[in-house]
Structure formats: structure tokens, C-alpha cells
Amino acid sequence: MTIGEFSVITGISAYTLRYCEKKSLFCVSRDSIGRRDYSEDDTMAERMELLIQHRKSVVGETRK
């Protein structure tokens, strides 16, 4: 599925998904022309990972 479709399903913006991928919080497979290709298996795993990472960053920012 596309990043837009994945964004709708997970409730995570496409911008946030791209940012988190850039920061190596998770990896996304690519199709033959280089577009991100999310699978059904990615949905829950990545959503949970993003929430955990976001939570850690917010807590870290608060403690500074």
C-alpha cells in the first residue's frame, strides 16, 4: 500500500512517516520504481514503534 493509504490506516501523517524513516526508526520496502511499499504486516508493528519512539523523544525533551 502507498504511504497515503498507510497514513490513513495508522493515523500517522505521511510527513511523520517520512521523517521517522529518515531518522532510521523503521525501514520500509520499496517497489520496482522506488516508491514506499507498506504491507499489512507493517501497520501495527510500525505504529507501535513510532508511538514508543515519539514518547521517548517527548519525555527526553521535557527533561532538558
Side-chain angles (χ1 to χ4, degrees):
M1 82 185 76
T2 67
I3 193 169
E5 294 166 333
F6 188 80
S7 175
V8 169
I9 290 169
T10 61
I12 302 168
S13 72
Y15 174 83
T16 300
L17 291 167
R18 287 185 199 100
Y19 174 80
C20 290
E21 184 182 3
K22 182 179 178 181
K23 295 292 183 180
S24 300
L25 298 179
F26 61 85
C27 296
V28 178
S29 61
R30 302 284 179 143
D31 65 12
S32 61
I33 59 173
R35 293 181 297 196
R36 290 168 184 85
D37 187 21
Y38 292 90
S39 70
E40 292 291 328
D41 294 336
D42 293 330
T43 305
M44 267 325 258
E46 288 186 10
R47 186 174 189 175
M48 294 306 294
E49 183 64 26
L50 284 171
L51 291 172
I52 291 166
Q53 293 298 327
H54 177 70
R55 184 79 161 156
K56 286 179 182 178
S57 69
V58 169
V59 169
E61 294 281 326
T62 305
R63 291 184 179 174
K64 287 183 180 180

